[in-house]
Amino acid sequence: MTTIRMMTAAIAACLGFATGAVAQDEKPGGAVQIELNAVKSNEGSCTLTFLVTNGHAGPIEKVVYETVLFDSAGQVDRLTLFDFGTLPSGRPRVRQFSIPGITCDDLSRVLINGASTCQAPDLAESACEAGLILETRTGIEVIG
């Protein structure tokens, strides 16, 4: 009976390790993931809410993305910088940016043009751009 309990405990431990490995695979491996999660029109402005996750093994101390906003006709409305700040490894963060002089209905597309600033001393120089994963939960397209 003791042997059966020991074998059961060993199998349970192995399954626990396997489950942990699967959970680790769910984060974006070796890339930054940016999701346009929500938009909200305010009086004379549009607030963009992003969910961002650093899938790298180390933290990003500061990242600023050059971002291009396109109007409903598909023309460039403006070039701007979105400062996503510090991104710890594997932990999601929410960042909001209020864009004055435009309503959310007037936006059709957001282009992440590249990293203007990427401070991640423990990671490769391309950590903020290589393999960038872009998604949207809104009617506004996000490309990069």
Side-chain angles (χ1 to χ4, degrees):
M1 188 75 155
T2 305
T3 305
I4 293 173
R5 285 185 187 160
M6 288 182 3
M7 288 178 64
T8 303
I11 291 170
C14 288
L15 289 174
F17 288 127
T19 303
V22 170
Q24 287 178 351
D25 290 341
E26 290 176 2
K27 69 180 185 178
V32 174
Q33 179 178 3
I34 300 174
E35 173 190 277
L36 179 56
N37 185 271
V39 296
K40 182 178 180 186
S41 288
N42 303 308
E43 194 172 314
S45 69
C46 177
T47 299
L48 304 176
T49 302
F50 291 92
L51 177 65
V52 59
T53 304
N54 170 11
H56 294 287
I60 296 174
E61 293 176 2
K62 181 178 179 79
V63 61
V64 178
Y65 286 104
E66 180 180 87
T67 307
V68 183
L69 304 176
F70 292 84
D71 65 19
S72 57
Q75 295 181 321
V76 172
D77 178 82
R78 69 190 75 189
L79 226 81
T80 188
L81 297 173
F82 286 169
D83 185 346
F84 284 85
T86 302
L87 301 177
S89 177
R91 297 190 57 202
R93 291 291 182 255
V94 173
R95 302 291 189 252
Q96 287 188 321
F97 304 97
S98 186
I99 313 301
I102 193 166
T103 65
C104 297
D105 291 339
D106 291 336
L107 285 178
S108 65
R109 183 182 302 162
V110 174
L111 166 65
I112 304 296
N113 217 19
S116 171
T117 301
C118 181
Q119 295 173 1
D122 297 335
L123 303 175
E125 276 186 42
S126 62
C128 296
E129 293 185 17
L132 189 62
I133 301 166
L134 301 171
E135 299 175 344
T136 186
R137 289 184 182 264
T138 72
I140 299 172
E141 182 181 16
V142 179
I143 58 175

